[in-house]
Amino acid sequence: MAATKKAVLGPLVGAVDQGTSSTRFLVFNSKTAELLSHHQVEIKQEFPREGWVEQDPKEILQSVYECIEKTCEKLGQLNIDISNIKAIGVSNQRETTVVWDRLTGEPLYNAVVWLDLRTQSTVENLSKRIPGNNNFVKSKTGLPLSTYFSAVKLRWLLDNVRKVQKAVEEDRALFGTIDSWLIWSLTGGANGGVHCTDVTNASRTMLFNIHSLEWDKELCEFFEIPIKILPNVRSSSEIYGLMKAGALEGVPISGCLGDQSAALVGQMCFQDGQAKNTYGTGCFLLCNTGRKCVFSEHGLLTTVAYKLGRDKPVYYALEGSVAIAGAVIRWLRDNLGIIKTSEEIEKLAKEVGTSYGCYFVPAFSGLYAPYWEPSARGIICGLTQFTNKCHIAFAALEAVCFQTREILDAMNRDCGIPLSHLQVDGGMTNNKILMQLQADILYIPVVKPSMPETTALGAAMAAGAAEGVGVWSLKPEDLSAVTMERFEPQINAEESEIRYSTWKKAVMKSMGWVTTQSSESGDPSIFCSLPLGFFIVSSMVMLIGARYISGIP
């Protein structure tokens, strides 16, 4: 009886956190924000050609169902009644583009992931059509014309995939980012699924007017996208539909936020000027700018932060986006075999405590903020015969921190008031060496919540607060206090600046490596046109790897 009593926790809220690397389902107590249970499944990434990144939409959907079922099983083992789960929120990797058949529910092509570079020539051709004195794309969307955003990915699918073209002609095609694909599928799919998105995800498509909060006719005409295939745009907190299958059948899906907006909400950055940095596959610094759009002069994006209810105001954010953060650790694991698990990176870095002059610029998908330089590619420089895998591991962690410094500097210049500390979250924040490095390189304290799952928490808060659910109060006086871990800078400012200036030299060397033809063709002859430096760096990396594989010291 005591165990049963203990398990009476009041209303619970679930959150789907569908990221680039993994899917998770987490369940929170709506009164205390305590994480009760979760389950995680890693997601495969496919690289069919150089610069292309794809995922299987059906694998993503199946991983969501698996995570929900496994989490519910774990709750049962804890004597927690899953009928207490009153709502589900969805948080997702943004920009990743899916087109599917509304009659069969089948995807018409793999999901084209936000990191994908195949659309570079599309971007270059489109940019020639934008008047120099009237960049209407940026003024309406807050975004630079880039391979990063959904519109150019959708344009590529319409131009190159016959199944997509035919489905559009026959009025069978639906487009969506991952949130749309999941909500449509979970609420019934071909049998009455709800085709919708929220304002935060819509704002990352380059088809959405962030001022009027609707699909923009001029933008759709510019990209030649038929409006009829786009989802209905809703707020981030309202009931979209009910789960139609699985252990949580009948539970409303009532929260939806792109992952970075969800983390902003989960970190409770509701005030103008509050900011957070999330360390996931990429790295994303968002600063709440309140109810006004602030346009950056230093390479940042203007985006929708959240709209927590149909009748609630929209809030905006400035965003610094870094393409490769956690992805560099996965690359060291899967491509070079330097580590067997992602957690090993901390152990290797700790062995040396320095990169010994080695700098790693992981521009695998070009450089995002503040450069927006698609011609950049990854380089490792400053190598000597003394360099080993531990130094490269340390340099990889430093790279994440240096990239954060670049976007933080841009944010400070745009906002005019430097941040006094940095709030952080995401899976990589469990790495204490990374967090200390970040404090040293920024030369300000880094503050991490004891419960780092703020992305899922933000989606749960939006779902629980929705009209018709009402189990989670977002009033400031009702929000739970969060315990924090603080990392203070431990090096002097001069050393921090020297390391940062050397990093910037390395960044300059990473630029101008590829042409449009080489990045799109997927042709092996690409290697004939690569600069000699590519082979020198690659050969040295392979040499180091070979020495370790063979046991040579």
Side-chain angles (χ1 to χ4, degrees), residues 191-234:
N191 299 310
V194 178
H195 188 215
C196 69
T197 188
D198 90 301
V199 288
T200 69
N201 281 295
S203 76
R204 312 298 292 193
T205 61
M206 246 179 355
L207 299 169
F208 185 72
N209 188 312
I210 61 174
H211 310 285
S212 64
L213 302 183
E214 58 192 7
W215 300 122
D216 190 282
K217 188 169 180 286
E218 184 184 14
L219 291 169
C220 288
E221 286 171 357
F222 176 72
F223 290 104
E224 298 178 77
I225 304 293
I227 285 186
K228 65 182 180 181
I229 71 172
L230 305 181
N232 293 319
V233 182
R234 313 275 284 271

Side-chain angles (χ1 to χ4, degrees), residues 94-95 148-150 200-206 301 303 319:
R94 303 169 303 170
E95 300 96 15
Y148 182 16
F149 307 107
S150 310
T200 69
N201 281 295
S203 76
R204 312 298 292 193
T205 61
M206 246 179 355
L301 312 176
T303 198
E319 174 175 322

